[in-house]
Amino acid sequence: MNHRIIAVILCLALLFQSEVTICAAEVPKETELYAKSAVLMDGDSGRILYEKNGYQAMANASTTKILTCIIALENCELDSRVTVSSYAASQPKVHLGMQEGQIFFMKDMLYGLMLESFNDCAVVIAEHIAGDVTNFADIMNRKAEEIGCTDSYFITPNGLDGKDDKGFHHTTASDLAKIMRYCIKLSPKSKQFIEITQAGTHSFCDAEGKNSYNCSNHNAFLQMMDGALSGKTGFTGTAGYCYVGALERDGRTYIVALLACGWPNNKTYKWSDTKKLMNYGIENFRKEDLSELKPEKERLAPIMVSDGQGDSIGGETWVEPVLENYNGCFSILLAEGEEVTICYELADKLYAPITKGAYIGRITYRLGNEELGECRVTAGSGVKKIDFNWCFARTLEQLWLTK
């Protein structure tokens, strides 16, 4: 009898698990997400796989610190000594509690910034790099523009709410995902960024060894799903709970960005939304390697050159097309029924003179109307234009051959 009961319980458990999996695979409805703004991004290509108000400008709290961290990693040595100013020491909680005049190492400030989200650590970092917070904000905004952010404006290095004559401190879920993608994939310091943000704990002392400190990572997502890679939480009264996180599994990378994902006492909403979006991505998108998608040889046939110097007068002259390096994403995540197509934009005929390596067209890889990347097509050889001297020389050759 006991065995029958156990068997029934196991069957019910399997049925329940299957039902949950099916639900997770469906496209999340906007009403199913707590976040007012959300994005799921393909971390390799940068393609947005899902968005809910993903381009709406909103306060983003301490998720700002991923940008502060990567700027610091790219501009400072980890063993740099940094001195605490009175302004840094006056930052509100959450803070390390440092004192004016204390000296720390940059490495420890970055761990305090990313694990505990200490606001004073952010200001110490900003002042060390740029002299003051205002100058550092200029660096942040230039870096955001370089990354490709289209609607972000940063005022504070720690993400505390700010406002000036140019606007308020904000980003979008789309831009925030782009910044995380840069931090974990594109930055020359991506490995260091991941190492810091994955650490469970970090202990350190000030440079003089007088005071000791301990940090614990508050990114609970690292223990929630296999392949969790990095992330940063955030909260202010204006922004609500925010989160940006990344997951890597089976050669695929997913990034989730959430803004305004509940207010107290809804601290766990961000984890629910993150897992829902990550599971949707994992179960619904396959990876396609564009380097294996080869152009058709017949579409890259030699192109005739008009008025070009060939072997004889009246003979045809041809140029062999040459593909240059592919410029774009090398892989992309695709949903069922989505296919990448190759579009050919090549000249039907060329006109001399043609120099070797001259641009004669391009091949683009497209997903619907979205261009994923391109290969430039250049001339494999040069062709000079017919002139009097060439015609005279060819005429003499013909006369000599007919003797």
Side-chain angles (χ1 to χ4, degrees), residues 43-200:
D44 292 304
S45 70
R47 180 193 179 201
I48 291 180
L49 308 176
Y50 174 91
E51 64 92 12
K52 170 187 175 182
N53 302 321
Y55 306 97
Q56 182 177 339
M58 303 178 71
N60 64 302
S62 288
T63 59
T64 299
K65 288 168 181 161
I66 66 171
L67 182 58
T68 298
C69 181
I70 203 66
I71 289 173
L73 287 171
E74 292 180 353
N75 289 276
C76 294
E77 297 298 327
L78 293 179
D79 59 359
S80 299
R81 290 172 174 252
V82 297
T83 303
V84 179
S85 69
S86 59
Y87 179 66
S90 70
Q91 292 302 296
K93 292 182 178 181
V94 177
H95 57 211
L96 180 66
M98 55 184 65
Q99 302 297 314
E100 181 182 359
Q102 268 190 292
I103 300 173
F104 292 90
F105 292 105
M106 175 60 73
K107 176 182 178 180
D108 299 321
M109 293 295 94
L110 292 175
Y111 277 97
L113 178 80
M114 300 307 292
L115 272 59
E116 290 280 1
S117 202
F118 287 142
N119 292 317
D120 46 4
C121 289
V123 173
V124 168
I125 292 166
E127 290 179 338
H128 179 77
I129 293 173
D132 61 38
V133 166
T134 301
N135 289 335
F136 187 76
D138 291 338
I139 296 173
M140 296 174 76
N141 288 311
R142 287 197 299 270
K143 190 67 179 180
E145 184 177 357
E146 174 190 315
I147 291 170
C149 298
T150 57
D151 192 0
S152 295
Y153 181 58
F154 299 105
I155 299 173
T156 64
N158 44 29
L160 292 176
D161 297 326
K163 191 174 183 180
D164 61 20
D165 56 354
K166 294 181 181 178
F168 71 104
H169 185 102
H170 71 268
T171 189
T172 66
S174 171
D175 281 357
L176 185 57
K178 287 179 183 177
I179 296 171
M180 177 57 88
R181 177 176 179 247
Y182 177 81
C183 291
I184 65 170
K185 287 287 185 180
L186 306 178
S187 170
K189 299 295 184 178
S190 59
K191 289 184 179 180
Q192 288 178 310
F193 178 88
I194 293 172
E195 180 182 348
I196 290 172
T197 56
Q198 281 188 342

Side-chain angles (χ1 to χ4, degrees), residues 290 324-330 362-365 371-376:
L290 298 187
E324 288 193 347
N325 291 335
Y326 172 73
N327 178 24
C329 57
F330 287 95
R362 68 174 190 152
I363 291 173
T364 58
Y365 292 75
E371 184 176 312
L372 305 174
E374 69 168 10
C375 289
R376 284 169 50 91

